[in-house]
Amino acid sequence: MRKGIGYANIGDSFDDFILIKEAARGVASNGKAFLTLILRDATGEIEAKLWDIKKEDEEVFLPEKIVRLTGEINQFRGKAQLKIFTIRPAQPTDGVHVADFVEKAPVEKDILIEKLTEAIFEMKNPAMQRIVRAFIKKYQDALLTYPAASKNHHEYVSGLAHHVVSMLGIAKELYTLYPQINKDLLYAGIILHDLGKLKELSGVVTTSYTIEGKLLGHIPIMVEEIGIMAKELQIEGEEVLILQHLVLSHHGKAEWGSPKPPLIREAELLHLIDLIDAKMNMLNRALDKVKPGEFTERLFAMDNRQFYKPLFEEK
Amino acid sequence: MRKGIGYANIGDSFDDFILIKEAARGVASNGKAFLTLILRDATGEIEAKLWDIKKEDEEVFLPEKIVRLTGEINQFRGKAQLKIFTIRPAQPTDGVHVADFVEKAPVEKDILIEKLTEAIFEMKNPAMQRIVRAFIKKYQDALLTYPAASKNHHEYVSGLAHHVVSMLGIAKELYTLYPQINKDLLYAGIILHDLGKLKELSGVVTTSYTIEGKLLGHIPIMVEEIGIMAKELQIEGEEVLILQHLVLSHHGKAEWGSPKPPLIREAELLHLIDLIDAKMNMLNRALDKVKPGEFTERLFAMDNRQFYKPLFEEK
Amino acid sequence: MRKGIGYANIGDSFDDFILIKEAARGVASNGKAFLTLILRDATGEIEAKLWDIKKEDEEVFLPEKIVRLTGEINQFRGKAQLKIFTIRPAQPTDGVHVADFVEKAPVEKDILIEKLTEAIFEMKNPAMQRIVRAFIKKYQDALLTYPAASKNHHEYVSGLAHHVVSMLGIAKELYTLYPQINKDLLYAGIILHDLGKLKELSGVVTTSYTIEGKLLGHIPIMVEEIGIMAKELQIEGEEVLILQHLVLSHHGKAEWGSPKPPLIREAELLHLIDLIDAKMNMLNRALDKVKPGEFTERLFAMDNRQFYKPLFEEK
Amino acid sequence: MRKGIGYANIGDSFDDFILIKEAARGVASNGKAFLTLILRDATGEIEAKLWDIKKEDEEVFLPEKIVRLTGEINQFRGKAQLKIFTIRPAQPTDGVHVADFVEKAPVEKDILIEKLTEAIFEMKNPAMQRIVRAFIKKYQDALLTYPAASKNHHEYVSGLAHHVVSMLGIAKELYTLYPQINKDLLYAGIILHDLGKLKELSGVVTTSYTIEGKLLGHIPIMVEEIGIMAKELQIEGEEVLILQHLVLSHHGKAEWGSPKPPLIREAELLHLIDLIDAKMNMLNRALDKVKPGEFTERLFAMDNRQFYKPLFEEK
Amino acid sequence: MRKGIGYANIGDSFDDFILIKEAARGVASNGKAFLTLILRDATGEIEAKLWDIKKEDEEVFLPEKIVRLTGEINQFRGKAQLKIFTIRPAQPTDGVHVADFVEKAPVEKDILIEKLTEAIFEMKNPAMQRIVRAFIKKYQDALLTYPAASKNHHEYVSGLAHHVVSMLGIAKELYTLYPQINKDLLYAGIILHDLGKLKELSGVVTTSYTIEGKLLGHIPIMVEEIGIMAKELQIEGEEVLILQHLVLSHHGKAEWGSPKPPLIREAELLHLIDLIDAKMNMLNRALDKVKPGEFTERLFAMDNRQFYKPLFEEK
Amino acid sequence: MRKGIGYANIGDSFDDFILIKEAARGVASNGKAFLTLILRDATGEIEAKLWDIKKEDEEVFLPEKIVRLTGEINQFRGKAQLKIFTIRPAQPTDGVHVADFVEKAPVEKDILIEKLTEAIFEMKNPAMQRIVRAFIKKYQDALLTYPAASKNHHEYVSGLAHHVVSMLGIAKELYTLYPQINKDLLYAGIILHDLGKLKELSGVVTTSYTIEGKLLGHIPIMVEEIGIMAKELQIEGEEVLILQHLVLSHHGKAEWGSPKPPLIREAELLHLIDLIDAKMNMLNRALDKVKPGEFTERLFAMDNRQFYKPLFEEK
């Protein structure tokens, strides 16, 4: 059986290190203070209550701290909750690190950057290639650590690069089936489409939205960045406009944040490839947690559907 | 320059054989009868007026007849119209056939059936394989001649088989990228998903909807057919239900004709692959008719969008 | 005053037998285990908490068990809750049965089957009559016990048959007012329209959805069943197709689960009669629980409206 | 075969009196003036062109004039058109009257008023009865001649009264099936619900909307009228408010013109009965014009659907 | 720092008089009764729990009573809660009054009535002026105390009059910019548009909906009132109809409660001015509670948006 | 009576110069070529047919040419059409110019630029002032000639500047009523909000969309321009982001082209002021063309409504 809080069942006992993701103080009906903790490891997260706390507990059990904890998985209002028996802060000598409790892409950074470089190398249109290369150079570090979203899909370390590399794989195959596709344009669109998230999201561990992200969003941010980059590189020609259009339209519809729908073949494809990779990422991870004959939990970003794993699938 | 009525420009003269697709009698303001003809060849269609007709003309210029025609491409209310100078019915000695004036899939029937057989051969789940094999046997002839739709995409001879074979190509590639996919299930879903159209549509040359098509539609028709086929083959087990679900849900949403949305990973993929192939078919054919720097005509089935062909595309 | 938990008011004391519908274990802030019970009788249901339970309590107070309970109706977060003073499992000598705590149709099974038989007897079209008769024979037992839905309307024992018989009553009257109606077709449609629920729903006491129900739904299930039944009875002709259309379209709109809207006069009527009877069932039962001058609770299946009982209505 | 322009087929010759409904002057491409006439009898209407007219023709062939006409039914842009051979104004000696060319309810005025009186006589609640009686007295003449709408359903002389009387028939039957219904309230609601149309519509022969109808609509007009009538009759009590609510909510939804949805059982029923009678009126008349195996024309007020008449229906 | 519960922060201590708005009895997990209190002053409201209450407490701590309370602002499930240390009922000698704990318009009643009178004085159309004057006379007291809504905007004492006077201010300015506006009509529409709320809402302190408000709503109520008032004043002419239309259409769309959209220039303006004043009222009050660099709470009536206060704004 | 084609009535004769806006060749049923002309002056436009044309006519009667024309206003398919009696090209000696036939703002360019300068002068925030000043300098010429849209509102020479100046007028007045408004921000937002149209639209006389306009739209174009301008001016600070947000959100909703809704008070106001001025411009011009007691034509950009001019309005 797989290890980790994401795979725990009601009734399991727990005895391990775990990371505090959130901690909020409350007051119980008996007048005593308590902490509501959200705990996480690389496989998932769970709520726990720490009752009858003292002032000093509040200064110790803080977000981004690791604790050693024994307890039991209970059920509360239909959701799993970790009942705490003992809890203590981790010590330096315990040899545990925040990075161990955070989910990561299933592909190493080395491979990701290699695949990206390969794709850029395949491109023949010099305008597009230079723009893409300049952005990769500018943002390489962040691109290799940021998630692709704050939740829903690829919401893990290197998630954004993982998403881009998977999409490049689909693009390559579709190009062999539909040779009319302008591969350079599609590759460039895929690599650039979500780079605005590096400004829209606050960071890697506890990802939230920046003011800029809330007031503009990653799509207009990136359209502007392409314009500025092209100016700096003194690139002119329709390539710049078309790349901006690919980024602008990649959510597919005005209601979904694209003021223009895709009006270029490769823009339409970019939108569809984005959909496929995001959905496969969500579906594969959700189905991985259930047994044949069961339904997954509700997947919010897939219209709240619960997916079924047929009996003839092997776990 | 490409030949054919689909590529003709305003002002071109015309001197060739062409097929009458529709013919309707009218009476002009001078009290004389005329015929409105819809003429077609393998590349497109055009309207023409035949003025001052006699009784016997009406019996000669009938739908599905070929004519020899000279004239000129004019514009009328913003649409191209063929002005007729001379017209005569084709003679047996002219050596022209209806089949020459109908659009066909760009892939030969031999190849199509070979690709289908290969896919079925790859399948390992015996229940799915037997059901698919039985349907191919039952419907082989129709499957190889029917269009995939009465308009919009793959609306040509062998269009349905062409659509299925293209989709199998995408499925194969996605399986290499996402090995969690149940390939047998996805292949079976792709092959069966639109077979109900063989009952929904009236035929190949002038495709319209049957009563059964109008009152039930191809999705419920095919769900029922799978149930009956499984009964005949005495196949039991969840495979039958799951295949019915794939067919039922492949339009993706209730508003689009699927009473249940996809609730199986491969059902979601089937829906997405169907979208990609249908859209690429529409887009490639529409973009093929315009020059770089131009927009296509409005594509009804793609939210009435007009697509742009960038200047850096070579014609 | 009416007796039963559905009519109890805040502050009433309770001393009676009652059925456990659901039981879920929780852990209180003092660390002790408790049970959240959903209790029901034939008039309604109520939540209760059983605090400080022991291991053996969990094995005794199980769903579908009857208990003898004393307590008081309290209010908690705006909803009624039964505060437990004493509780014990019912004994065989208590002479109480699960069937006593389940709501039933207000019409006896004998009457229901008699009315159904009468309607079939009135039919003159042999194809329709034979199909309907065969289904009644095949499903008689289930039809007479199943609810019409898992909640909202006719959600009680024999609810489905009660719904069908009420609808036949409306159809009969409308036929006298609009003699153009094809009565045989309308009767057949009414009797068959919801039979797919016998496969969609899991059973009578704790009604949930089957896998088949979730992946296909009662409408496609029944369309297929009619096709198979007609094959078995060797019935051909448009009657089969039309009956399938009536079932397929009876939810009225694609968004509501009918891939085709009603396209036959009797299909439209079937949809409207279904609406009337479902709504009257919901409304009459909800208004029955309030006094003149009051509003009912929110009725979820009626757009969450609260209905008013005018002062001039007698209770 | 049925007689009348509504039943004429392409190719039929015509030789009869007919009423001019509309007449509009145009100028042909040869520079000569012509009239576009809309001609009607009690069964339907048809367009005709009167070519090469003189000044005096324009003063003779005016709306609401009857003409003697010979011609032939032709087809123009897919619609029937009456080609005129000869035309002359009807003379007093011809003995034809406008009333002969207007569609009328299939039930006589005597019967309609009798049925209305009967329903009022059955009512026991004095407040409701007095209000309804006062309105019938005030509006009897108009009620017995007005259509129920300017198009779509009951759009003929006495259409409003016919609609009301049909609805009373349905109400009576539903009351026997659901005795919880407050029959007085439902009857009163039915009789009053559309009386505002007497102010919303301009009249009987060429029905259009009044300024008041366009700016307020029949629903608010009638809510106000009930308030004023109750004041005049010095009736107080919740009956007035409830009747106003029934009128206000009878379109069912805000989008359909009811600022409040039905919140009273009888208001919901009024809405449903209104739907049934309007739809049966449209459907029966449309199906009456087609043969078994055919579809009706598109019915605008029924979501533009075309309805099918099964082969097993006798014409 | 501003004083009052609406400006309190988590951790603040509290020692002041405050008004009980709601009080509901509950039973805790230890079996003891408690009260959930909603407390308010002129700046906002907060929840508090009073644990372990006795029978007599329930008779003392009632809605609309003032209490003297010490405690601390805590957080519970993400919302502020007032933890009670001590609580006692206010005494007559404390010199506090309910009116001190209720929010009031920032403009005095004298000023409000003066502004209203001025506007009426400016009007030149006698029909409109007489109608408006009659309504002000009839409703002056209520108009000067009622809120404009039960929540969302101008939900305070004199809120309705404050809203009307602000709107008159906007109208006056727009008239100088667009002199085509009929000022009399616009003024009359503004003054009358929401007067129906005096019958729709129950009162000033704890504002809820009346039965009439729920079944008819303020718009149809006011349309009727204008009709009756015009009858009483024996005013005829299009002014009455147009004023009714302005009231009827001022919500702008059928979905928002206006069966007719604005079809008069001044009706469209009335709708827009209403929007502006309501939104500015909500926005200014919400932004007033946050610091530069922060977002407001979600504003339900503004599509649940959270508004940002830029860093360059001074508090 | 007002002069100009926009005020002409059916039956009027015409004898004046007029501008050809569009010219399209067709072939009549008699086989002869004709031209369909769209003719315009500063008050409106009308269609005309020029029958039996020769080759040389096609080279003379071209778009943007002025002609001298005599004829008569007729009606064709319900729309006005100008029947041509005589037509000749204007000569240099006729002393007529294209500019005479184009609609212009009712305010002179001098006044417009003066008002703009005044507003900028009032601004105190240096960052905003510098950005706005730089844009006015960059675009002054275009801003003073471009229309605000290709149709619907302010679609005339200097329309954009006229729209901006009107909006500044409203903003100034609202600021006096709601002093919480940040006037600098609101002024800056108004001046910049539609400047992207200078790149979105092709020009002044025959306004169409540029490729950039179709693929990006004026909103993202302007967001990018602000970013680039701020970089050039080396302006940092939240002002830049907030101005971009005002431009981005000024259409109010994602469906209307704003990927973010207004999240700043002044952004919400900008949206509302834009609505008011656009609507007043459409309404005033449409109402100006009808008499009291009439309805305007359908206004497409106002939900296709027809507005009524009350009888008590003076023409």
Side-chain angles (χ1 to χ4, degrees), chain A residues 46-78:
Chain A
I46 196 167
E47 196 181 289
K49 299 279 181 192
L50 186 58
W51 300 108
D52 289 359
I53 53 163
K54 293 175 205 138
K55 207 71 203 168
E56 49 270 38
D57 290 336
E58 290 181 55
E59 281 146 35
V60 168
F61 299 115
L62 290 169
E64 312 223 355
K65 292 287 173 197
I66 303 169
V67 292
R68 175 83 200 197
L69 191 153
T70 63
E72 192 185 271
I73 314 297
N74 275 225
Q75 192 159 24
F76 183 66
R77 295 181 191 278

Side-chain angles (χ1 to χ4, degrees), chain B residues 51 72 74-77 83 293 295 308, chain F residues 25-27 29 31 34 77 211 214-215:
Chain B
W51 301 107
E72 193 185 86
N74 275 226
Q75 193 159 23
F76 183 66
R77 296 181 188 279
K83 184 166 159 57
F295 282 84
Y308 181 67
Chain F
R25 186 180 184 272
V27 177
S29 58
F34 65 92
R77 294 181 191 281
I211 301 289
K214 283 181 178 172
L215 296 189

Side-chain angles (χ1 to χ4, degrees), chain F residues 160-288:
Chain F
L160 182 51
H162 185 220
H163 180 40
V164 164
V165 166
S166 294
M167 286 174 68
L168 288 171
I170 303 178
K172 188 167 194 163
E173 302 299 353
L174 288 180
Y175 173 61
T176 67
L177 295 166
Y178 304 104
Q180 300 94 331
I181 293 171
N182 183 324
K183 194 176 65 172
D184 287 11
L185 179 55
L186 184 54
Y187 276 20
I190 287 171
I191 296 171
L192 302 181
H193 81 291
D194 265 353
L195 281 192
K197 292 201 169 173
L198 304 179
K199 288 193 171 175
E200 186 187 44
L201 300 176
S202 65
V204 178
V205 181
T206 54
T207 307
S208 64
Y209 286 83
T210 60
I211 301 289
E212 199 177 351
K214 283 181 178 172
L215 296 189
L216 296 182
H218 69 279
I219 284 184
I221 288 172
M222 192 61 198
V223 170
E224 180 189 342
E225 287 240 357
I226 293 173
I228 289 172
M229 182 65 84
K231 254 202 155 75
E232 282 176 14
L233 300 176
Q234 292 177 294
I235 291 172
E236 276 175 16
E238 217 172 50
E239 281 88 348
V240 183
L241 169 62
I242 301 292
L243 281 177
Q244 288 180 309
H245 172 73
L246 259 75
V247 170
L248 187 71
S249 66
H250 85 268
H251 281 189
K253 279 195 185 181
E255 300 89 291
W256 302 336
S258 283
K260 294 285 177 187
L263 296 175
I264 301 277
R265 174 173 35 206
E266 287 74 18
E268 182 71 23
L269 264 175
L270 170 59
H271 169 58
L272 290 167
I273 292 171
D274 193 16
L275 271 187
I276 289 182
D277 188 53
K279 289 184 168 187
M280 287 306 289
N281 186 265
M282 284 185 269
L283 276 177
N284 287 341
R285 290 160 76 213
L287 285 165
D288 201 38

Side-chain angles (χ1 to χ4, degrees), chain C residues 4-293:
Chain C
I5 205 70
Y7 298 98
N9 296 313
I10 306 299
D12 287 0
S13 62
F14 183 92
D15 182 0
D16 209 338
F17 291 97
I18 195 159
L19 180 74
I20 298 174
K21 191 185 161 197
E22 295 171 27
R25 188 181 182 271
V27 176
S29 58
N30 61 4
K32 294 192 182 157
F34 65 91
L35 285 176
T36 300
L37 303 172
I38 309 296
L39 304 166
R40 72 159 302 154
D41 65 17
T43 67
E45 59 188 54
I46 196 167
E47 197 181 287
K49 298 279 181 191
L50 187 57
W51 301 107
D52 289 359
I53 53 164
K54 291 173 206 139
K55 207 71 205 168
E56 49 271 36
D57 289 337
E58 292 181 53
E59 281 147 33
V60 168
F61 298 115
L62 291 169
E64 313 223 354
K65 292 288 174 197
I66 303 168
V67 292
R68 176 82 201 199
L69 192 152
T70 65
E72 194 185 86
I73 314 297
N74 275 227
Q75 193 160 24
F76 182 67
R77 297 181 189 279
K79 294 180 62 182
Q81 202 177 62
L82 177 47
K83 185 165 159 53
I84 298 173
F85 297 155
T86 67
I87 185 169
R88 70 162 172 84
Q91 305 304 326
T93 54
D94 287 327
V96 289
H97 307 95
V98 169
D100 305 336
F101 297 89
V102 181
E103 196 180 2
K104 287 176 211 68
V107 182
E108 289 300 317
K109 289 184 187 184
D110 291 359
I111 309 288
L112 293 171
I113 191 69
E114 191 185 309
K115 296 262 186 186
L116 272 169
T117 313
E118 247 173 52
I120 299 171
F121 190 78
E122 276 186 49
M123 293 167 67
K124 301 206 175 81
N125 179 305
M128 296 186 200
Q129 199 190 39
R130 284 179 61 211
I131 289 171
V132 171
R133 208 187 286 282
F135 274 111
I136 294 295
K137 195 174 155 200
K138 180 173 178 188
Y139 286 125
Q140 179 165 333
D141 285 355
L143 172 58
L144 287 177
T145 51
Y146 259 67
S150 69
K151 54 181 178 185
N152 294 330
H153 78 97
H154 299 89
E155 69 277 32
Y156 41 68
V157 174
S158 307
L160 182 51
H162 185 219
H163 180 40
V164 164
V165 165
S166 294
M167 287 174 67
L168 288 170
I170 303 176
K172 188 167 194 164
E173 302 300 352
L174 288 180
Y175 173 61
T176 66
L177 294 167
Y178 305 103
Q180 299 94 329
I181 293 171
N182 183 324
K183 194 175 66 173
D184 288 11
L185 179 54
L186 184 54
Y187 276 21
I190 288 171
I191 296 171
L192 301 181
H193 82 292
D194 266 353
L195 281 192
K197 292 202 168 171
L198 305 179
K199 286 193 172 175
E200 185 187 44
L201 300 176
S202 66
V204 178
V205 181
T206 54
T207 307
S208 62
Y209 285 83
T210 60
I211 300 290
E212 198 176 353
K214 284 182 178 171
L215 296 188
L216 297 181
H218 69 277
I219 284 184
I221 289 172
M222 192 60 199
V223 170
E224 179 189 343
E225 287 239 356
I226 293 174
I228 290 173
M229 181 65 85
K231 256 205 153 79
E232 280 175 14
L233 299 176
Q234 293 178 296
I235 291 172
E236 278 175 11
E238 217 172 48
E239 282 89 349
V240 182
L241 170 62
I242 302 293
L243 281 177
Q244 288 180 309
H245 172 72
L246 261 76
V247 170
L248 188 70
S249 66
H250 86 269
H251 281 189
K253 281 194 182 180
E255 300 90 291
W256 303 336
S258 282
K260 294 285 178 187
L263 296 174
I264 301 277
R265 173 172 37 205
E266 288 74 18
E268 182 72 22
L269 264 176
L270 170 57
H271 169 59
L272 290 166
I273 293 171
D274 193 15
L275 272 187
I276 290 183
D277 189 52
K279 290 185 167 187
M280 287 306 288
N281 186 266
M282 283 186 270
L283 276 177
N284 288 340
R285 291 159 76 211
L287 284 165
D288 201 38
K289 293 189 180 166
V290 300
K291 299 195 202 66

